[in-house]
Every structure is written in C-alpha cells, then in structure tokens.
Amino acid sequence: DTGVSQDPRHKITKRGQNVTFRCDPISEHNRLYWYRQTLGQGPEFLTYFQNEAQLEKSRLLSDRFSAERPKGSFSTLEIQRTEQGDSAMYLCALGGVYGELFFGEGSRLTVL
Amino acid sequence: DQQVKQNSPSLSVQEGRISILNCDYTNSMFDYFLWYKKYPAEGPTFLISISSIKDKNEDGRFTVFLNKSAKHLSLHIVPSQPGDSAVYFCAASEYPGGGADGLTFGKGTHLIIQP
C-alpha cells in the first residue's frame, strides 16, 4: 500500500474526448506530483503541487492538460481533446521526507 | 537529452547469483539518487536511495554504490530471487529534500531472474 489511490485504473476513450484522472492520498501530504510513463520510457515529470499551489509545470504539459488540487488533498488531471499520443500511464506520487516519491498504481489511458 | 541513462534494456541472471544494474548520469548538480522497481500494470515502488555524501548504502539484499567522479551508480541484488524479475529504474534529483521538479528517471532495465 503506497498511500495513494488512483482512479480510474484504465480508461479507453476516442480521440477528441476529454478525460479526467483522480489521485487520492490516504493521508495528508504537502507534496504531490503527476508523472506520465509511455512504453519503453521512464516516468516523466508533468506537474507539482505544494499543498493546493501548483508550483511547477513541465513543458510536456500542453494547454490541453490541466491539473488541480483544491484544498490541498486530492488532485485531478484533465486532458481535453485527447490525441493518440496521449496514450500512456499517468502516475500520481507523494513526496517523502527524504525526497523519495511514493507512486500510486497509475491510470492507464488508451486513446483510439 | 537523457540526463539519466540506463544503457542495458534487459539483463538475465540466474537465481541465487548477483544482479548488477548500472546507471550513468550527466548532470553534475544531481545530489540524490534512487532506485525503483516496477511490475507490469503497477506504479514504481521505491527500493533504495543514496545521497552524494556517501558511496554505498545497503538495505538487506540491495546495495547501491555511487561513484561521483565517474557519474555512475549501480544496484547490486544478492542473492537474486524470482520475485526480483521486474523493470528497475534509476532516478536522480538535485534536491535531497525533494524539489519542485521531482525526480529524473532513466528508461529502465528489465531484470529477468532465471530459475
């Protein structure tokens, strides 16, 4: 149990549709990250929240992507007008005391 | 430009023997290094870490070695067990306490433990 729940685990959608992923930390954590992993690659940083403030965004996060963390608890990642290139595993992670990240099981997106 | 490189996409080792996974990095600002293990359809699991002030850290069967001058680290697993079969990711950060950029990951090495 990593302390992070992600939903849905798998989403299949048609190109052009919008999708939203949710990340629920089991306990309070100040630092929350979103990563994306495609086949044959390591996880790539997307965005970072310190409590409810989004402090960092990767250039990978195009304007079709938006992330929120209202009240500094759960977080959502929305992708608008999905493209086939968005197919990936979307991972939520919590920052540990020593800088390590604790990942959830991920949400796999398949765009047809 | 890959700042963290794992040049072996896969590695096959016999059960009971030592598994050695290698990782090179190019960013001299990296100060904190970690290894993660990933099974299919699951998120990566944190294994072990090392800060740049050390050259070795050990946790049970897992030992990480860091050579800062060579910008190289390795993960040793002794003895290797069938449950160790997974993809292993090397990761690095400039900030031991955790920074806004999170971690930079390599592409991973698929370790296969042969019975």
Side-chain angles (χ1 to χ4, degrees), chain A residues 78-104:
Chain A
E78 182 184 15
I79 309 173
Q80 295 183 325
R81 305 181 303 282
T82 52
E83 300 172 357
Q84 286 184 325
D86 297 331
S87 295
M89 175 81 87
Y90 290 86
L91 295 159
C92 178
L94 305 178
V97 174
Y98 301 106
E100 66 275 46
L101 295 182
F102 297 102
F103 286 90

Side-chain angles (χ1 to χ4, degrees), chain B residues 56-73:
Chain B
K56 176 182 172 182
N57 190 24
E58 196 171 344
D59 183 2
R61 297 186 297 114
F62 302 92
T63 303
V64 56
F65 295 92
L66 175 62
N67 182 335
K68 276 209 81 174
S69 59
K71 294 193 179 71
H72 177 84
L73 62 153

Side-chain angles (χ1 to χ4, degrees), chain A residues 5 15 24 109:
Chain A
S5 175
R15 192 174 50 184
D24 275 282
L109 174 64

Side-chain angles (χ1 to χ4, degrees), chain A residues 9 31 33 35 37 40-43 45 48 56 89 91 97-105, chain B residues 2 32 34 36 38 41-44 46 89 95-103 105-107:
Chain A
R9 292 294 310 279
R31 294 167 33 237
Y33 300 80
Y35 277 75
Q37 185 176 16
Q41 302 292 320
F45 169 77
Y48 165 67
E56 192 72 30
M89 175 81 87
L91 295 159
V97 174
Y98 301 106
E100 66 275 46
L101 295 182
F102 297 102
F103 286 90
E105 299 204 333
Chain B
Q2 278 264 301
Y32 185 57
L34 308 90
Y36 281 81
K38 186 180 182 304
E42 293 185 9
F46 170 69
F89 292 99
Y95 311 103
D101 288 350
L103 302 174
F105 285 83
K107 291 188 177 185

